[in-house]
Amino acid sequence: MLQHDAPAALLRAAWRRGCRLPDFVPALLQLVDFSRRHAVRHWLMNIDHLPPMGPAEQAWIMASWFPAMATTPVQHLALVLPPDLHNRIVATTPVFNPPPAMSFELHFFPDDATGLAWLLDDDPRRHELWQEWEAELARLHREAPDCADA
């Protein structure tokens, strides 16, 4: 699920329940490419529903994704931590073992609202963007509750 707002240079993404882990790498590569093409400076990423990441995904993030992100204008990434302990540990690894190519400020949040507040604290449209996202979530849950139904 995606939300882009050009004036705020924001890209917001959330992993949908039921989406397959093999789709993880292609999805992140698409977001990197999108960020390059649309001058995205702020990411809000929610991985609540991401299946447990394996060693291959973990290695790819450190060896490939961070260098790819260094080719984008992204300055801030707000990552909503999942409740799942395994993915929480994987997601916070860069804090304890930062990759050389880490080109953005990374902060962790318990929910989307606090992450969005950190990214767009002074933006008067923050409330409007939040409502737009919530309306799209409600529509998706009505029409296709998870990836398997999409």
Side-chain angles (χ1 to χ4, degrees):
M1 299 182 321
L2 295 174
Q3 179 183 40
H4 174 245
D5 184 69
L10 171 73
L11 177 64
R12 184 175 180 182
W15 194 259
R16 288 189 63 200
R17 183 181 317 278
C19 290
R20 302 169 333 118
L21 190 57
D23 296 332
F24 177 72
V25 169
L28 282 183
L29 288 174
Q30 287 176 345
L31 295 177
V32 167
D33 183 54
F34 185 93
S35 296
R36 273 192 219 109
R37 288 186 287 114
H38 296 280
V40 172
R41 291 189 322 272
H42 311 293
W43 268 34
L44 175 60
M45 176 69 69
N46 185 320
I47 59 170
D48 268 0
H49 301 297
L50 183 68
M53 288 185 272
E57 291 81 20
Q58 294 173 46
W60 178 82
I61 288 168
M62 297 302 276
S64 299
W65 182 75
F66 276 104
M69 283 294 284
T71 69
T72 73
V74 174
Q75 299 169 352
H76 303 103
L77 192 152
L79 185 63
V80 177
L81 289 175
D84 158 287
L85 182 59
H86 172 78
N87 279 354
R88 184 178 286 255
I89 290 169
V90 170
T92 57
T93 295
V95 170
F96 304 106
N97 183 22
M102 192 159 169
S103 59
F104 52 85
E105 192 174 344
L106 173 63
H107 285 258
F108 303 105
F109 296 93
D111 54 53
D112 288 75
T114 54
L116 191 64
W118 176 68
L119 290 171
L120 301 179
D121 186 41
D122 296 331
D123 193 314
R125 295 181 47 253
R126 186 176 84 196
H127 182 68
E128 176 186 332
L129 291 170
W130 180 265
Q131 289 180 324
E132 177 184 300
W133 179 263
E134 291 298 308
E136 181 62 11
L137 276 179
R139 185 191 68 76
L140 283 171
H141 288 301
R142 278 192 313 275
E143 295 174 12
D146 60 38
C147 279
D149 297 327

